[in-house]
Amino acid sequence: MKILLTICLLLITSQVFAKKITVYDCPTEADARSCNNCKKSSYMNIKVNVNTNKVLLQHPESNTNTYLQTVKHEDEWIAKNTNFASLWTVKETLEVFDEDNWEYLKVENVFYTSTNQRRIFREQKESMVNGKYYAMDRGLTNYPFYWCGK
């Protein structure tokens, strides 16, 4: 009995909450936000650690894990040939309010010094609002992909 109480206490005090959701592919952002008109895609486990401000996304079908956390990388140069020198910036932010409410944003920008052009290389948004999951991923093609989960 004491062992069972100890395990329960450890689980409660760690503040790591796991939630299994069904993930759906959605044609538009509006559909993903409402989680309507979407096709069932897979399952995902979401573990939120409020104390460390981290979110773990586990995809059992593909056996992959994704950790969301706040990391900032700025002004990192990538240049093998000076004619194609570019400035690459990556900004990630994660704000965890509680296990059912969090927001993640990752934006990667590339600035090409030869043409003085800036492009969004990739933009990724994920969130949980009142227990409903939303995600958007847009790369160089500018055609975003949307998902929802419940």
Side-chain angles (χ1 to χ4, degrees):
M1 186 68 168
K2 287 183 182 180
I3 293 173
L4 182 59
L5 288 173
T6 303
I7 291 171
C8 289
L9 183 61
L10 286 173
L11 289 174
I12 291 169
T13 58
S14 67
Q15 291 192 5
V16 176
F17 301 95
K19 179 182 296 255
K20 182 177 181 176
I21 63 167
T22 303
V23 178
Y24 301 86
D25 291 326
C26 304
T28 67
E29 181 178 6
D31 291 332
R33 296 262 184 210
S34 65
C35 215
N36 291 326
N37 194 30
C38 303
K39 294 180 182 178
K40 186 175 173 180
S41 159
S42 62
Y43 294 95
M44 181 169 57
N45 296 318
I46 299 176
K47 293 183 179 179
V48 178
N49 190 319
V50 178
N51 291 334
T52 62
N53 199 48
K54 290 183 181 178
V55 174
L56 170 62
L57 306 177
Q58 296 177 313
H59 304 273
E61 294 173 357
S62 62
N63 205 23
T64 58
N65 294 331
T66 304
Y67 291 92
L68 306 180
Q69 59 187 352
T70 296
V71 180
K72 292 184 181 178
H73 309 277
E74 295 188 50
D75 302 328
E76 294 182 7
W77 284 91
I78 299 173
K80 288 187 177 181
N81 179 330
T82 55
N83 292 332
F84 299 105
S86 59
L87 176 64
W88 187 286
T89 62
V90 179
K91 292 184 183 180
E92 294 180 72
T93 57
L94 171 66
E95 196 165 352
V96 176
F97 306 103
D98 59 41
E99 66 272 10
D100 285 329
N101 295 283
W102 51 267
E103 186 173 74
Y104 173 77
L105 175 64
K106 179 178 181 179
V107 178
E108 299 176 45
N109 289 304
V110 178
F111 178 76
Y112 300 100
T113 56
S114 60
T115 60
N116 290 328
Q117 290 183 334
R118 183 180 141 200
R119 276 185 91 170
I120 293 179
F121 184 75
R122 184 172 181 206
E123 182 179 19
Q124 179 182 352
K125 295 178 184 178
E126 296 186 58
S127 64
M128 180 76 73
V129 177
N130 296 326
K132 280 186 156 180
Y133 175 74
Y134 163 80
M136 184 278 298
D137 196 337
R138 179 181 68 180
L140 282 174
T141 62
N142 288 327
Y143 297 110
F145 297 94
Y146 299 103
W147 299 272
C148 69
K150 50 186 174 180

